[in-house]
Amino acid sequence: MRYQFFALIAALPLIACSFENADDDEAETETVEAEPSEDFGYETMGEDNLADSMASNDAAHGGDGDMAGATAPAGVADSQERPEMQLQVVLDRLGFGPGVIDGRMGTSTANALKGFQEANDLTVTGELDTATEEALAEWQRIPATRVVTIPASWGELEFETIPEGAEEQAAMDRLGYESLDEKIAERFHTTVEVLQQLNPGGSPAGMSTPSRRTGASSTPAPSGSASASGDADYFTVGRKIRVPNIGADRIAPAAIENREWQQTLASLGVGSEQPDVARIVVDESEGWLKGYDADDKLVAMFTVTTGSQNDPLPIGEWAVNGVGYNPTFAYQPELFWDVPDSEDEQMLPPGPNGPVGVVWIDLTKEHYGIHGTPEPQTIGRTQSHGCVRLTNWDAARLAGMVSNATEVIFQA
């Protein structure tokens, strides 16, 4: 496996989160000629957009960017307006992550609103007040949901149940998704439960007739493919399903040199066009991460999980050493207060369900980093082992914003 780095990250265990790059002798970037005809391992949206076939592709509707021209698919209007989900979708597209998109006004959405308000010189309340509604009005035409077709190639994917033990996990090739349902949910920044609500009986809400599987007759409920656990998935390939209308997911040709990382971005609905961040501020008490550009303008804000009583966030000023994409994980029991030292050390394989998710942003504070998570619904709700943890999609987006020049400030 190859990773792209701003600076080579030495192979060493991290006391807090125990990340290790096992392939430092192969750390050069793999160059990929991003031709539309090339096999990227998934169906692309088109020649000028190498996101997957379920991408928003809003610019193709006549607008001048991912936030312009979005319309609901003809004849597939949603049965509900879903204003809270529409708000989350817009904030997510603008870089102010509401965490899991679920149509609920929780802490992560309040943090996202605070970010939008600060960036637009509004009174920071975290509430959808009149001034904020007026500022968001230009994006009202973006619907809360859209209908997509699950790509046929997803039927070729293998899903495996991930065992609890580190030794058993280390024997796996990859800590990937356990089911098709889980993969779809992460692709659209939500949960399986929300997707089921958007698709009662397996068909998109608002669709008068059930969705149709490719090569199969229409049925009122999904036929169910086998998941890793042996249970039937709610969704199957070839079906039309309603999903949160996330955007800002365009992958420009030749923008991503690492082939596997491009596949990861496409699978997470994260685009290649991200703002440059000169300074990151992480607030332990408030549970958020802010990214500022060179003009000190707030361009991104995400809810995060930071440290614990046993592994507190290291308050101070740091910098970014480099970025590891789809990293392996050095499991060293003696470094974790809640794991018996008698357990054996293990090298865990990469994957979205690995302990640090899909990305590791290495910091000059030795043994600490910013990374993803296998459990996006826990962000902002549970503690970490000292590092800064985001959803996989937010961590992937942040990885596209930072450089070796990015300052990192951890504050209480």
Side-chain angles (χ1 to χ4, degrees):
M1 181 174 298
R2 297 172 183 262
Y3 304 114
Q4 179 180 352
F5 294 88
F6 299 105
L8 298 185
I9 302 174
L12 50 83
L14 300 186
I15 290 177
C17 295
S18 200
F19 163 83
E20 181 173 337
N21 174 26
D23 299 316
D24 287 311
D25 58 340
E26 296 186 276
E28 295 85 2
T29 298
E30 178 183 3
T31 300
V32 175
E33 294 297 326
E35 296 294 332
S37 60
E38 189 168 0
D39 181 12
F40 294 107
Y42 61 92
E43 299 94 330
T44 65
M45 173 57 70
E47 293 185 1
D48 64 343
N49 184 359
L50 300 184
D52 70 19
S53 59
M54 299 183 291
S56 62
N57 208 32
D58 293 342
H61 294 282
D64 57 354
D66 283 309
M67 294 296 288
T71 57
V76 198
D78 200 345
S79 60
Q80 300 181 33
E81 293 186 357
R82 308 185 199 276
E84 292 84 4
M85 184 171 288
Q86 196 273 345
L87 171 64
Q88 291 177 323
V89 161
V90 170
L91 292 171
D92 185 81
R93 286 165 170 252
L94 290 171
F96 305 108
V100 170
I101 295 178
D102 56 7
R104 300 173 183 173
M105 298 294 289
T107 300
S108 295
T109 302
N111 282 340
L113 275 171
K114 290 178 182 178
F116 177 82
Q117 290 164 338
E118 178 180 336
N120 289 274
D121 298 320
L122 301 171
T123 302
V124 177
T125 63
E127 298 178 358
L128 189 58
D129 50 40
T130 301
T132 305
E133 284 186 331
E134 292 175 353
L136 287 165
E138 63 178 295
W139 296 293
Q140 275 299 113
R141 67 184 178 280
I142 295 176
T145 65
R146 67 174 183 267
V147 173
V148 302
T149 300
I150 303 173
S153 64
W154 284 27
E156 302 172 4
L157 301 175
E158 295 184 2
F159 302 102
E160 295 183 88
T161 299
I162 298 175
E164 293 186 6
E167 183 176 358
E168 291 78 11
Q169 291 180 10
M172 301 180 72
D173 293 328
R174 183 173 176 80
L175 297 177
Y177 296 113
E178 294 188 288
S179 68
L180 178 66
D181 290 355
E182 181 189 20
K183 180 174 173 62
I184 297 170
E186 185 132 305
R187 168 62 180 82
F188 293 99
H189 305 181
T190 189
T191 66
V192 174
E193 291 73 24
V194 171
L195 288 177
Q196 291 175 347
Q197 293 167 12
L198 294 176
N199 297 273
S203 297
M207 182 173 281
S208 56
T209 58
S211 64
R212 183 183 297 273
R213 273 197 313 139
T214 301
S217 60
S218 181
T219 58
S223 58
S225 59
S227 68
S229 65
D231 297 328
D233 281 319
Y234 192 80
F235 302 104
T236 56
V237 297
R239 280 191 173 274
K240 293 184 182 298
I241 63 170
R242 186 171 297 283
V243 297
N245 188 27
I246 65 166
D249 51 11
R250 178 176 182 267
I251 298 178
I256 306 299
E257 295 178 319
N258 183 307
R259 180 192 298 270
E260 186 176 357
W261 185 239
Q262 178 178 309
Q263 293 173 339
T264 298
L265 291 180
S267 73
L268 291 170
V270 173
S272 61
E273 298 162 350
Q274 302 294 340
D276 293 332
V277 166
R279 179 168 60 97
I280 288 173
V281 179
V282 177
D283 191 285
E284 184 178 36
S285 60
E286 296 292 330
W288 48 246
L289 179 153
K290 294 180 179 180
Y292 295 87
D293 66 14
D295 296 322
D296 208 33
K297 178 178 175 57
L298 181 66
V299 294
M301 182 170 176
F302 309 111
T303 295
V304 297
T305 292
T306 63
S308 66
Q309 183 176 358
N310 294 281
D311 298 301
L313 187 73
I315 306 303
E317 298 183 8
W318 320 106
V320 173
N321 271 334
V323 179
Y325 303 103
N326 295 307
T328 53
F329 181 86
Y331 177 78
Q332 296 179 288
E334 69 273 14
L335 303 181
F336 295 92
W337 64 269
D338 53 351
V339 176
D341 292 350
S342 58
E343 289 194 18
D344 293 332
E345 295 184 3
Q346 305 290 343
M347 180 61 70
L348 306 186
N353 271 321
V356 296
V358 301
V359 67
W360 172 272
I361 300 175
D362 193 54
L363 303 179
T364 52
K365 172 60 177 176
E366 190 175 11
H367 312 314
Y368 285 85
I370 302 172
H371 60 84
T373 181
E375 298 179 337
Q377 72 280 1
T378 67
I379 296 299
R381 295 180 173 87
T382 59
Q383 298 178 328
S384 74
H385 284 94
C387 295
V388 177
R389 184 157 51 94
L390 301 87
T391 64
N392 276 334
W393 55 86
D394 286 341
R397 179 181 290 187
L398 183 64
M401 301 179 184
V402 302
S403 71
N404 286 125
T406 303
E407 300 176 359
V408 180
I409 300 171
F410 290 168
Q411 64 187 34

